[in-house]
Amino acid sequence: MILGFAEDYKKIILNARHELVLIRSRQDINCIVSETADTKSKIVLENMHWEMPHVQVSEKQQISLWNILKNDISFRLAFRHWDLIESIAPEINSWTWQIKFNTALETARYVILAFQSNRNSITADSSVFDKINISGLKVYLNSSKFPEENFAVDFDTKNTAQAFEMYANFQSLYYGDSGVRRRGNPLMNRTEFQNCPIFFIDCSHQDGTLKSSIVDMKIEIETKKAFAKNTIAYCLVIHDSVIEMTPSSNQVAKRTQI
């Protein structure tokens, strides 16, 4: 359910071969915490199961689907793609991070930021993020900035209401007002958030200025103190994605134009 496409696309896929590619790190340091600093510890994957639902249709629908194959009809498959970008934060307190160039068809909808320092040891817990003294945060898509109001946060005085509200609202914004998810159920409460912050920026409400073919995305980060040495910045961009599939030939192509 974390693959974006499988979570968003609810229709059947006709005559397609599915393939799941897993890329494993060369070491297991991100998955193990050892107080004895046993660098020989490792995780062994023995079995893995991928559950894939199969749909059987009525004879009437079978004829309709057969006509699609026969006439070589293509379909658009729209979903939200998850793209993780990592960078070493410079040891300064004002940083403009150039993320990427996207087409208008792949405009960012949500941006999630988190930071970690000194995780190159097996004794360090890579499952939690560090409290960085951020005082200002803006995401720019061309000339449009998000959020439009000033981002006020101060972890020293525990002034984190705005940042926590943006984090807590992400679930209901992402899934919409449907079922139990409407109320939201954030992973961390406010006290936990102050010690392990994850910054969420909603870019889903965009005007017509982002209709250009190329969208330049950058993030401006202000901190009260310079970033610590060996600080890694993580940026998870959830953006639109549209692919085109031709069931007759089982070909999938990425769309770059509407």
Side-chain angles (χ1 to χ4, degrees):
M1 295 300 293
I2 64 171
L3 299 179
F5 176 84
E7 191 172 45
D8 280 340
Y9 197 78
K10 303 300 182 183
K11 300 179 181 180
I12 64 173
I13 306 293
L14 179 63
N15 195 40
R17 177 176 176 267
H18 298 273
E19 184 177 273
L20 180 63
V21 179
L22 301 177
I23 302 175
R24 179 167 176 167
S25 175
R26 294 171 182 246
Q27 55 185 359
D28 294 338
I29 192 172
N30 289 336
C31 305
I32 299 175
V33 180
S34 173
E35 295 181 355
T36 60
D38 185 2
T39 57
K40 295 182 180 180
S41 300
K42 63 180 181 179
I43 295 176
V44 179
L45 297 178
E46 295 182 349
N47 292 290
M48 184 170 295
H49 300 275
W50 186 19
E51 294 186 1
M52 178 65 66
H54 293 266
V55 179
Q56 292 183 340
V57 299
S58 64
E59 293 184 358
K60 181 179 179 181
Q61 291 298 327
Q62 287 181 18
I63 295 174
S64 177
L65 295 176
W66 174 252
N67 288 332
I68 291 174
L69 292 172
K70 182 179 179 181
N71 296 324
D72 199 24
I73 299 175
S74 299
F75 292 98
R76 290 186 184 181
L77 284 69
F79 60 99
R80 289 172 294 191
H81 183 75
W82 294 28
D83 196 1
L84 178 64
I85 300 99
E86 303 178 19
S87 178
I88 299 177
E91 297 177 46
I92 55 178
N93 60 356
S94 181
W95 179 30
T96 299
W97 185 8
Q98 186 71 50
I99 299 296
K100 62 189 302 184
F101 293 93
N102 283 329
T103 64
L105 206 60
E106 298 179 309
T107 302
R109 297 301 177 187
Y110 306 101
V111 177
I112 302 173
L113 289 169
F115 303 87
Q116 286 182 337
S117 299
N118 298 318
R119 290 298 195 279
N120 296 323
S121 171
I122 201 169
T123 58
D125 191 349
S126 298
S127 67
V128 297
F129 297 101
D130 291 336
K131 181 171 63 177
I132 305 296
N133 290 318
I134 286 184
S135 57
L137 182 62
K138 290 288 183 184
V139 174
Y140 285 88
L141 302 178
N142 289 347
S143 60
S144 300
K145 65 179 181 179
F146 304 89
E148 293 185 355
E149 67 276 8
N150 292 328
F151 185 83
V153 61
D154 190 332
F155 286 92
D156 292 336
T157 61
K158 297 185 178 180
N159 178 18
T160 58
Q162 181 185 8
F164 178 72
E165 181 183 23
M166 296 166 70
Y167 159 78
N169 289 339
F170 166 69
Q171 191 176 29
S172 58
L173 289 172
Y174 183 83
Y175 289 107
D177 295 333
S178 59
V180 68
R181 287 171 172 160
R182 176 176 52 194
R183 296 187 296 272
N185 184 25
L187 181 64
M188 298 182 291
N189 58 36
R190 185 170 179 180
T191 301
E192 294 169 328
F193 176 84
Q194 290 174 345
N195 296 320
C196 179
I198 299 176
F199 302 96
F200 165 76
I201 306 296
D202 182 6
C203 306
S204 60
H205 301 286
Q206 300 171 5
D207 55 26
T209 59
L210 295 178
K211 295 297 184 180
S212 59
S213 59
I214 298 296
V215 178
D216 177 19
M217 179 180 175
K218 63 182 180 181
I219 302 175
E220 289 186 355
I221 305 171
E222 299 286 342
T223 60
K224 297 178 66 175
K225 297 179 181 179
F227 286 103
K229 188 177 181 180
N230 297 325
T231 296
I232 304 296
Y234 299 94
C235 176
L236 178 63
V237 182
I238 303 176
H239 59 82
D240 295 339
S241 185
V242 180
I243 58 177
E244 191 168 87
M245 175 188 170
T246 306
S248 59
S249 59
N250 199 12
Q251 291 184 347
V252 176
K254 187 176 182 180
R255 290 187 62 90
T256 57
Q257 295 181 348
I258 299 176

